[in-house]
């Protein structure tokens, strides 16, 4: 059984841990229970650590795997049931409330050949700001021959709760212009850059400009095929029937203060999600787990 090596690290204002297990290394921040990078020895990184990312307390990080919860994206674009959960006249932050909160590291333990890292989000005494529903959150990361990330929501309250969510994963690629996504042929998707109209995907998805699509009724497995790096990043999801594919391309990237102008070339987001008609409805004491297993396979 490999012995894990756990090192506490400081990332500017944020606390984190660098964890080695077997041939793999994981970097994770306490704020947001945020996976920042993941790489296997001798291979390019799987999870993209943006070299211009900022690590400031209370500010979300543009890199790795942000947790979007209890709503995804712009709250007003969410179904009415999700919008109704919020009780506030203040503008809603994008991608929910938990990305910039400190989670509690509950434990790191070996389970056979695997290493399990578990974070919990302590429920605030007065609830989350503008969102007064008692839902406990647990983020579990497992390192074995793959990287597994699972987000579990447990409704501890007495009322039904509706939420949207995503594991907003940034994947490292050799050049987004030379990769494609396999597994989307024939799927319906919402083209947010075309006034949120619904289109149908024909063939694999290739990239030649800004991309921001919500794929509906997705299969359990999607892949990023990267011929230059001779690999397929295989994404196997659980608890999800929707996925968001995003790349900002040139002009959007230039507008980001925390991304290099050419940073868009080296990343591609495929976000394992519960959005649109795939939102989660939690009855009292019910649980839901959203998860993705990430594997690198040679072409």
């Amino acid at each position: 059984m490999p012995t894990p090596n756990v090192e506490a690290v400081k990332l500017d204002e944020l606390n984190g841990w660098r964890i080695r297990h077997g041939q793999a290394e994981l970097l994770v921040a306490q704020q947001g229970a945020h996976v920042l990078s993941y790489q296997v020895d001798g291979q390019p990184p799987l999870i993209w650590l943006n070299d211009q990312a900022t690590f400031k307390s209370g500010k979300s990080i543009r890199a790795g795997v942000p947790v979007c919860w209890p709503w995804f994206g712009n709250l007003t674009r969410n179904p009415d049931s999700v919008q109704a959960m919020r009780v506030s006249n203040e503008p809603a932050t994008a991608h929910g409330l938990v990305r910039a909160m400190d989670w509690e590291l509950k434990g790191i333990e070996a389970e056979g050949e695997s290493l399990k890292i578990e974070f919990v989000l302590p429920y605030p005494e007065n609830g989350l700001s503008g969102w007064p529903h008692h839902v406990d959150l647990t983020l579990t990361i497992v390192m074995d021959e793959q990287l597994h990330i699972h987000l579990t929501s447990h409704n501890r309250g007495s009322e039904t709760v509706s939420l949207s969510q995503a594991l907003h994963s940034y994947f490292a690629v050799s050049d987004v212009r030379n990769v494609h996504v396999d597994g989307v042929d024939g799927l319906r998707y919402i083209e947010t850059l075309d006034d949120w109209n619904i289109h149908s995907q024909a063939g694999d998805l290739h990239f030649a400009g800004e991309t921001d699509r919500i794929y509906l009724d997705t299969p359990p497995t999607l892949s990023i095929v990267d011929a230059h790096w001779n690999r397929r990043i295989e994404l196997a999801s659980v608890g999800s029937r929707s996925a968001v594919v995003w790349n900002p391309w040139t002009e959007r990237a230039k507008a980001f203060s925390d991304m290099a102008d050419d940073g868009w070339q080296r990343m591609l987001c495929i976000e394992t999600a519960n959005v649109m008609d795939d939102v989660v409805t939690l009855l009292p004491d019910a649980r839901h787990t959203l998860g993705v297993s990430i594997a690198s396979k040679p072409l």
Side-chain angles (χ1 to χ4, degrees), residues 4-5 53 92 104 118 126 176 199 206 219 221 224 270-271 273 289 292:
N5 180 275
E104 177 184 319
E118 189 170 72
N126 298 316
V176 72
H199 297 250
H206 296 258
T221 302
I224 300 172
I270 298 186
E271 305 162 37
T289 297
V292 62

Side-chain angles (χ1 to χ4, degrees), residues 43-290:
Q43 299 181 18
L46 273 171
I47 301 296
W48 184 64
L49 177 57
N50 172 11
D51 59 10
Q52 298 293 313
T54 56
F55 304 109
K56 301 296 183 183
S57 180
K59 178 176 171 56
S60 58
I61 307 164
R62 193 185 303 282
V65 187
V67 175
C68 305
W69 189 97
W71 62 83
F72 174 81
N74 185 332
L75 179 60
T76 62
R77 286 289 188 177
N78 280 256
D80 291 344
S81 61
V82 175
Q83 295 187 49
M85 293 291 99
R86 187 167 185 264
V87 185
S88 175
N89 293 322
E90 297 298 318
T93 55
H95 291 320
L97 300 168
V98 303
R99 291 187 299 162
M101 296 179 67
D102 275 350
W103 294 50
E104 177 184 319
L105 178 60
K106 188 174 181 181
I108 301 175
E109 60 180 341
E111 295 184 344
E113 295 297 312
S114 302
L115 186 70
K116 178 182 175 183
I117 304 114
E118 189 170 72
F119 287 91
V120 296
L121 185 66
Y123 184 73
E125 182 177 342
N126 298 316
L128 296 171
S129 177
W131 203 84
H133 311 288
H134 190 164
V135 179
D136 289 346
L137 278 183
T138 303
L139 187 85
T140 304
I141 304 163
V142 174
M143 300 171 68
D144 50 29
E145 71 281 358
Q146 303 181 24
L147 178 67
H148 312 267
I149 306 172
H150 292 90
L151 177 68
T152 298
S153 305
H154 181 193
N155 184 3
R156 298 279 194 176
S158 59
E159 299 179 350
T160 298
V161 173
S162 292
L163 57 92
S164 62
Q165 58 184 344
L167 299 171
H168 193 315
S169 309
Y170 289 75
F171 293 101
V173 296
S174 60
D175 188 325
V176 72
R177 294 167 293 189
N178 298 324
V179 306
H180 67 268
V181 178
D182 184 16
V184 295
D185 182 29
L187 296 183
R188 294 179 306 127
Y189 65 90
I190 297 171
E191 178 56 88
T192 69
L193 303 179
D194 179 29
D195 200 27
W196 290 64
N197 286 313
I198 293 181
H199 297 250
S200 181
Q201 178 71 38
D204 296 336
L205 174 60
H206 296 258
F207 299 90
E210 182 181 353
T211 303
D212 190 0
R213 297 178 175 182
I214 302 171
Y215 282 86
L216 309 172
D217 298 313
T218 52
T221 302
L222 299 173
S223 297
I224 300 172
V225 179
D226 191 334
H228 182 71
W229 279 351
N230 190 38
R231 78 173 179 191
R232 174 188 298 269
I233 303 177
E234 189 172 272
L235 315 176
S237 64
V238 294
S240 167
R241 292 186 296 103
S242 52
V244 181
V245 181
W246 180 72
N247 182 282
W249 218 252
T250 53
E251 296 308 309
R252 285 288 304 280
K254 289 177 182 177
F256 296 144
S257 61
D258 54 356
M259 181 186 284
D261 287 355
D262 63 351
W264 59 273
Q265 296 177 26
R266 299 184 291 275
M267 53 73 62
L268 175 63
C269 286
I270 298 186
E271 305 162 37
T272 304
N274 294 117
V275 294
M276 307 315 288
D277 63 355
D278 185 31
V279 298
V280 173
T281 300
L282 284 177
L283 298 173
D285 201 38
R287 290 178 173 86
H288 178 271
T289 297
L290 170 71

